Amino acid sequence: APQGVADPVLGLQVQGLRLRRTVKMYQWDEQGGTRDDPSVSYRQIWSDKPQDSSTFERPEGHTNPPFPFESARFEVPLVRYGAFTLSPALVARLSNFAPVDPRAANPGLGRPVTPHGNWLHVGGPPDAPQIGDLRIRFDAVPEQPVSLIAQQSGAVLDEHITSRGTAYAIVKPGAQGQAALVAAANSDVRARTIALRVTGFLLMFFGLRMVATPLVRVFGWIPALGQVLRSGAWIFAGVLAAALSLSIIAIAWLIQS
């Protein structure tokens, strides 16, 4: 990618494959205002998400200006891999971003711009921010050797779309053999599977515990019975959640096999 990748809005160009712009604004944030906490309070925070002050319960004195530009990602339009071209989907799988010196960027807002670590601070002094001040950071994926397993379509390497509509490809930085790529991909799949199973168990566990809550509240005032019900509700939720989770995992394994 000899032409590099650029942010056309802020005029920054770097030698790399991907460029990520992160923009944060110092804004008012409303806390509370819920059924459990009807009172509201306001604090000033850095956030990359616009806080719509028009929806505040008390917008007077807590007005947030609009973002002049927001966070964005940019990819180089053409990436060569030997005699082949990588599809944008494959390029997007490269995620080893590293910080980029932001001083070449030009926010063009007519406000003071001060380098502050890996950020550009737009507005007053960085140590005393005011509402509407901006912080801008850039990270890039550099040009690098990569190893991949992908589907060839003519001169283009792209993701393989399975019969179930799942996009599959392996793209890793550095020079790696086929066995190492497959082993790394299997390790990632196992880690995601374990995380999903644990999350499913916890959701089921706390959901079943909530189902038992009315029974505990009705009879919880009885000293001996209340203690038994409170302890039993946790045991009931844990045992049933474990049984249901294992059953679902077994059924999914049988269907997959």
Side-chain angles (χ1 to χ4, degrees), residues 8 11 106 123 150 155 226 253-254:
N106 179 22
W253 181 82
L254 288 173

Side-chain angles (χ1 to χ4, degrees), residues 89 93 158-170 192:
R93 286 176 175 263
D158 200 355
E159 296 175 324
H160 170 68
I161 307 300
T162 68
S163 58
R164 298 181 180 180
T166 303
Y168 181 80
I170 303 174
R192 287 196 298 268

